[in-house]
Amino acid sequence: MARKRLKNISNKAYYVIISAIALAVVILLNIIVSFFDFRVDFTEDQRYSLTPSTVEFLKDDKALTDKILFKIYLEGEFPAEIKRLQSAVRDKLNEFKYYAGSNIEYEFINPNKGSNEDQEALKEQLFDNGLGIRPLDIVYRTKGASNIVEIFPGAVVEYQGGKVGSIRFLEGGQFNLDSKLEQMVQMGINDLEYKFMRILAKATRKTKKNLAFIHGHGELRIPNTMGARKRIEDSYNIKDIVLGDALNALDGIDGIIIADPHQKYSDKDKFIIDQYLMNGGNIMIFNNPLEVNNDTIRRTGKTHSTRKRTGLTELIFDYGIKVNEDLVIDANYDPFVFPGIPKGYVNWYFYVRSLGTDHPISSMVNPVKLPYASSLQFVQTKQDVRPSVILTSSSNSRSFGNVPLLSIAMEKQFGENPVFQENPTDKRNELMLAGLLEGNFESAFKNRIVTEYKDNPDAQFIENSIKPGKLLVIGNGTFLKNTYYDSIFVRESNSYKYIPRLPKTREIDELFGGNLIGNFDFFENCVDYMLGESTLLAIRSRVIYLHPTDKLKIEEKGSFYKFVNIIIPTSIIILLAIIVAVVRRYKYVRK
């Protein structure tokens, strides 16, 4: 008896000692860990980690010198997809706070709280005539009825006591609760770090680079590009320059845009552009050599394309890019509004929805709509440059003729699912629609410099680049033109104001609002990359993979998995209880 009691005491002491040792180890580990500051992100895509450039910025006391407040209007009852966005915003800002400390502040606000008058006033303020956060209506069905929830997926940012701007996590509009919304949310989450860093850069930027739109040769007019300008005006000084044969016209300019010219460039203007490139300039040329009149097509159902003789294609060829005099037709297309027919549009294979490559400019943007795009080719030259393909057509596309005839009858010929290639999945069918050359160029005037420039002491002719330059060519000149927006002239400031146009019944933005295009995002990326803001682009090109749930599979097998999740753990507990009871009975009950 005494021996058995001694054994029981010994067993209890053993378990007490073991427990004490385990507790001591845990406490010791916690004490040790508290002396080290480290974080580990076990996710495959490092979704909870910031890029090194962001961390460097947030840690820099000279960059962010005051508190910046993010007022986030994502509070309330949402579908799960929006809840995921809300959590991602909170996680990302917590990560920012980890490095920037108390300089980062945020609060979540429910815009649907308070009196109706207060709610309406706040929403008007957030919308800011379409320039702020746009409402997103999500349509869903419950119990056979259709419901709509309105959210304001964005934030207003304040720095040093004043409003810096607003962030849109998602664009506004009306969406169904389906996979398209999930995709949109995924892209919104991918862009969070970029959008936060962009507003931080804007708030703390002390100087801006100079970007010039070139005029004088029938390029897009200022009102036509107000939407695109709005996207970059906070980051760059935008100028409008007529070269006018002035050799110093581009002095002090960090980048130039030539958008959809229609008239011939003089040799002297081409010489100015050439020498700008030799001095390390950054040139963006958006141009297709063929012109198509949509009014003629709507009136007659067909039209011929006509050549534009600007002289730029010859200049570009000397640097290493050939712009073909063709039009690309693609099975990945947008419709063409055509009043007077029952469905209101025709399938228009010339409205190419071009695809990005793995280049930071285009890797994370929606398809870029290029109406009447011409294909490009890199050509062998003596230039010491690095070529990159930026946009392509799909593998089910082809070059369509040399100055071809366009007709709406093509819809009957090809249908809604056209096949333009024998093997439409072969990636070798893809055509380059945007190309980039970077490096040291050789002057296009090297072997044909005319005396007028050679003998002019102001010309200071440069044969080869003295600094690396960049040349971006896109085979379409109108992709950045206002589509859904208008510009109005403000006499007082002698400038144009960009305003969103309210959609009207059966207009194009309602008809095709679901076909998201990334034209303005792409334009913004082009400018950032060409003018050296590649840090922001590196953030933007980051991919975070979400793994959306398969709702069909949930409906089919949801009950089974619920059963597994409930019954199996419960069964294990019951089984363990039975085993323990049997063991105790076997061990301690006297036989």
Side-chain angles (χ1 to χ4, degrees), residues 92-161:
K92 194 62 72 180
L93 284 174
N94 283 337
E95 194 72 9
F96 273 55
K97 276 180 75 68
Y98 177 79
Y99 293 106
S102 59
N103 277 341
I104 298 285
E105 293 183 348
Y106 68 85
E107 60 178 314
F108 281 79
I109 300 168
N110 185 349
N112 294 314
K113 286 188 74 173
S115 66
N116 289 336
E117 291 77 14
D118 290 344
Q119 288 182 35
E120 289 304 315
L122 176 60
K123 289 174 181 177
E124 283 289 325
Q125 186 182 343
L126 295 178
F127 185 65
D128 191 16
N129 293 318
L131 301 180
I133 305 168
R134 296 182 191 160
L136 174 69
D137 295 335
I138 300 175
V139 183
Y140 63 100
R141 294 187 68 82
T142 54
K143 299 178 181 177
S146 181
N147 298 282
I148 295 179
V149 59
E150 181 189 58
I151 65 170
F152 281 78
V156 173
V157 184
E158 296 177 1
Y159 184 61
Q160 295 181 330

Side-chain angles (χ1 to χ4, degrees), residues 57-68 100 102-104 159-160 200 203-206:
F57 176 88
L58 295 172
K59 285 182 172 179
D60 187 354
D61 295 336
K62 295 178 181 175
L64 191 61
T65 57
D66 206 343
K67 293 182 186 302
I68 188 163
S102 59
N103 277 341
I104 298 285
Y159 184 61
Q160 295 181 330
L200 282 168
T204 57
R205 182 176 286 117
K206 295 178 177 64

Side-chain angles (χ1 to χ4, degrees), residues 373-588:
S374 296
S375 63
L376 311 178
Q377 290 174 268
F378 291 122
V379 292
Q380 289 287 337
T381 64
K382 295 179 181 178
Q383 311 285 348
D384 179 20
V385 293
R386 183 176 73 254
S388 303
V389 178
I390 306 299
L391 290 176
T392 70
S393 62
S394 77
S395 57
N396 188 9
S397 65
R398 67 177 172 87
S399 169
F400 186 71
N402 190 6
V403 196
L405 172 69
L406 290 71
S407 169
I408 62 169
M410 291 175 66
E411 185 184 49
K412 292 182 180 177
Q413 181 183 353
F414 293 109
E416 293 193 0
N417 299 302
V419 178
F420 294 128
Q421 295 286 347
E422 286 187 9
N423 185 357
T425 60
D426 190 341
K427 286 191 169 296
R428 287 175 296 182
N429 301 330
E430 293 175 354
L431 300 170
M432 181 170 71
L433 302 178
L436 172 68
L437 296 175
E438 299 171 89
N440 296 301
F441 293 84
E442 186 178 80
S443 171
F445 287 80
K446 184 174 183 178
N447 299 315
R448 53 175 183 266
I449 181 73
V450 295
T451 309
E452 181 185 1
Y453 312 137
K454 193 174 183 180
D455 297 340
N456 186 339
D458 295 331
Q460 298 178 346
F461 176 61
I462 304 172
E463 286 190 357
N464 296 291
S465 291
I466 57 175
K467 294 179 187 173
K470 298 174 189 170
L471 172 66
L472 174 65
V473 180
I474 298 176
N476 171 266
T478 58
F479 76 94
L480 73 164
K481 191 176 177 181
N482 300 342
T483 303
Y484 307 137
Y485 306 96
D486 291 333
S487 301
I488 59 171
F489 183 69
V490 181
R491 188 180 299 279
E492 292 75 16
S493 58
N494 192 31
S495 62
Y496 287 91
K497 183 181 179 183
Y498 162 75
I499 55 169
R501 179 165 56 84
L502 293 175
K504 299 174 184 175
T505 305
R506 302 294 294 169
E507 286 203 356
I508 185 168
D509 39 4
E510 286 190 325
L511 283 168
F512 310 122
N515 293 332
L516 296 175
I517 57 173
N519 286 33
F520 282 178
D521 288 339
F522 175 71
F523 170 74
E524 196 175 347
N525 285 357
C526 288
V527 175
D528 282 346
Y529 186 86
M530 295 297 285
L531 271 68
E533 295 287 351
S534 52
T535 301
L536 289 174
L537 275 178
I539 299 170
R540 187 163 201 163
S541 59
R542 237 182 122 194
V543 180
I544 297 174
Y545 297 101
L546 292 183
H547 304 287
T549 52
D550 187 334
K551 291 183 177 176
L552 183 61
K553 196 171 183 179
I554 288 174
E555 286 181 9
E556 290 177 350
K557 301 184 178 179
S559 301
F560 170 74
Y561 288 110
K562 284 178 186 173
F563 174 80
V564 168
N565 283 324
I566 294 172
I567 296 302
I568 290 184
T570 308
S571 302
I572 291 173
I573 291 172
I574 294 172
L575 181 63
L576 287 174
I578 294 172
I579 292 173
V580 170
V582 171
V583 170
R584 286 174 64 87
R585 186 179 182 83
Y586 175 78
K587 193 170 182 181
Y588 299 112

Side-chain angles (χ1 to χ4, degrees), residues 269-300:
D269 279 353
K270 287 192 287 186
F271 178 76
I272 295 167
I273 293 169
D274 175 85
Q275 292 300 287
Y276 174 72
L277 183 61
M278 295 306 110
N279 276 291
N282 303 300
I283 301 175
M284 289 165 269
I285 298 179
F286 311 145
N287 180 43
N288 40 337
L290 300 180
E291 185 176 14
V292 178
N293 192 321
N294 274 353
D295 290 339
T296 305
I297 299 173
R298 288 196 176 98
R299 193 173 65 252
T300 65

